[in-house]
Amino acid sequence: MIDKMPNIALGTWMITKPNEISEVIPHGLENGYRHIDTAQIYFNEELIGKELEQLDIPREEYWITSKVWVLNYKYHTYTSVRESLLKLKTNYIDTMLLHADAGKERNVIAYKELMKAREEGLIRGIGVSNFSIEALEQIKEATGEYPKYNQIICSPKQRIVDLEKFCKDNNIRLMGYSSIRPYYNPNPYYKDPGFTADEKKIVDEIAAETNSTPAIVLLRWSMQHDYIILPKTAKTERLDSNLEVQNITLSEDQMKRLDGLNAFDYKTFLATMKVWEENRNLREDDEKIGVRISPESDKHFVKNNVK
């Protein structure tokens, strides 16, 4: 059995078409990936589970990370974990994350439910995603432990240095998403125009120096800052090329040049998270129904466009 999270995950956000899942999951696991990152709100756990069930790869040889959506925190965390297990067709999930900060009360309720699931062997480890320093400290105060992981945005232009340092100082392993995206398209959830032409030129120069590509340079930068990376693609050829990140090393000078592109800080991160929380507009009636715990809950979510 794999005893620690592999440092490269096959990201599956926005990959929801059966034909895409049926290509990337088998191809990825048969060609070097040993970690799949999904989430309840991605609406693809059942498609992934169907493919995993057909693979001739023992379950203990790959890692699954999934995430509990915020609508389930207050009333359905434990139930939603069991539903995720059924969809993924597995007896355990290696890491279950709380997908976003939903406020102290909800976070603590959900975390304690994950602790219960961990005690029963349904999940092996607990983490969070998009959690601030304050939210992490609240979990520690209420439960006696910090989450084992925090999945946050991470690219040379969007690096949250203060949060990164806090996590490293407290042995919270970092998972970084959207490492590549700003080079090609701005992340829709962050008010940022993406890389400028001059910023792209710096990345391109380093790609030429390392005989690689801009995507590999950006992924490698995240890895060298000790992030578990989550490259996402629906194309098998890109799955293969992303693994080339293991074959290069950026020099100290190259890392500094990329570090200098950062236009993000902890204050901006907190402001962004506040907007996210307000936009989710968590209502008691929606929380009681939940999402991804029954066909009815899914219909309610889609009908009401609950966020």
Side-chain angles (χ1 to χ4, degrees):
M1 179 177 285
I2 302 175
D3 61 358
K4 67 178 182 178
M5 183 182 283
N7 62 3
I8 303 175
L10 196 169
T12 63
W13 178 51
M14 295 184 71
I15 304 178
T16 58
K17 296 178 181 178
N19 64 308
E20 292 176 340
I21 293 292
S22 67
E23 288 187 9
V24 299
I25 296 300
H27 185 91
L29 288 177
E30 290 169 355
N31 289 275
Y33 287 86
R34 285 295 179 265
H35 184 186
I36 299 167
D37 180 84
T38 183
Q40 293 170 355
I41 205 63
Y42 295 174
F43 277 76
N44 62 14
E45 286 180 318
E46 51 268 77
L47 295 173
I48 292 171
K50 180 180 178 182
E51 296 304 320
L52 294 177
E53 188 178 42
Q54 299 177 47
L55 283 179
D56 190 25
I57 300 176
R59 171 65 183 89
E60 63 271 15
E61 291 186 11
Y62 57 87
W63 193 282
I64 299 176
T65 295
S66 193
K67 310 174 192 75
V68 179
W69 185 238
V70 292
L71 280 177
N72 290 329
Y73 284 15
K74 198 169 182 180
Y75 300 108
H76 307 292
T77 295
Y78 181 82
T79 299
S80 74
V81 169
R82 285 198 168 276
E83 285 297 317
S84 289
L85 288 168
L86 291 173
K87 289 181 172 70
L88 290 164
K89 299 186 184 301
T90 181
N91 293 325
Y92 66 93
I93 293 171
D94 297 277
T95 303
M96 203 74 184
L97 311 181
L98 298 181
H99 205 141
D101 180 359
K104 181 179 178 180
E105 179 187 5
R106 292 182 180 91
N107 293 345
V108 170
I109 290 171
Y111 196 92
K112 287 181 176 179
E113 289 294 289
L114 290 184
M115 292 176 75
K116 175 184 174 182
R118 183 180 61 191
E119 289 171 6
E120 295 180 5
L122 303 182
I123 60 176
R124 296 177 62 197
I126 306 172
V128 296
S129 181
N130 302 305
F131 268 42
S132 65
I133 293 171
E134 292 77 10
L136 291 166
E137 289 180 325
Q138 288 166 0
I139 291 293
K140 175 66 180 296
E141 181 182 359
T143 69
E145 66 179 49
Y146 283 117
K148 196 170 183 178
Y149 307 94
N150 192 11
Q151 186 176 125
I152 60 176
I153 193 166
C154 178
S155 79
K157 194 165 184 179
Q158 292 169 313
R159 181 183 176 200
I160 316 165
V161 177
D162 292 348
L163 179 55
E164 177 184 307
K165 182 179 185 304
F166 178 87
C167 289
K168 290 179 178 179
D169 287 347
N170 290 284
N171 297 313
I172 301 169
R173 191 73 201 276
L174 290 160
M175 304 172 71
Y177 65 81
S178 291
S179 297
I180 300 173
R181 187 181 183 99
Y183 180 91
Y184 298 99
N185 298 293
N187 189 302
Y189 299 104
Y190 290 86
K191 293 183 179 180
D192 182 86
F195 280 74
T196 65
D198 287 342
E199 290 166 342
K200 285 187 176 182
K201 184 178 179 182
I202 292 173
V203 178
D204 293 342
E205 289 172 349
I206 296 174
E209 292 166 7
T210 55
N211 194 30
S212 59
T213 65
I216 295 303
V217 166
L218 295 171
L219 289 172
R220 185 66 199 183
W221 174 87
S222 291
M223 286 188 74
Q224 287 186 213
H225 277 300
D226 203 27
Y227 281 77
I228 292 162
I229 59 173
L230 314 167
K232 176 192 75 70
T233 180
K235 300 183 182 300
T236 54
E237 61 270 22
R238 289 182 184 170
L239 281 179
D240 296 339
S241 64
N242 284 338
L243 289 176
E244 294 174 11
V245 69
Q246 301 169 103
N247 300 328
I248 72 165
T249 300
L250 300 180
S251 68
E252 183 178 348
D253 174 69
Q254 290 166 338
M255 290 292 288
K256 286 183 178 178
R257 284 151 64 189
L258 292 172
D259 289 347
L261 300 179
N262 193 26
F264 212 59
D265 58 24
Y266 187 61
K267 184 177 179 180
T268 306
F269 168 74
L270 290 178
T272 304
M273 294 301 105
K274 183 175 177 60
V275 171
W276 282 18
E277 187 171 349
E278 291 172 350
N279 287 344
R280 281 194 289 271
N281 188 26
L282 295 176
R283 298 176 302 208
E284 184 78 4
D285 56 342
D286 295 321
E287 291 182 288
K288 286 183 176 179
I289 294 170
V291 67
R292 302 266 62 201
I293 58 173
S294 68
E296 291 73 24
S297 69
D298 291 348
K299 289 177 183 177
H300 176 82
F301 179 86
V302 173
K303 179 180 179 181
N304 293 278
N305 193 29
V306 180
K307 296 182 181 180

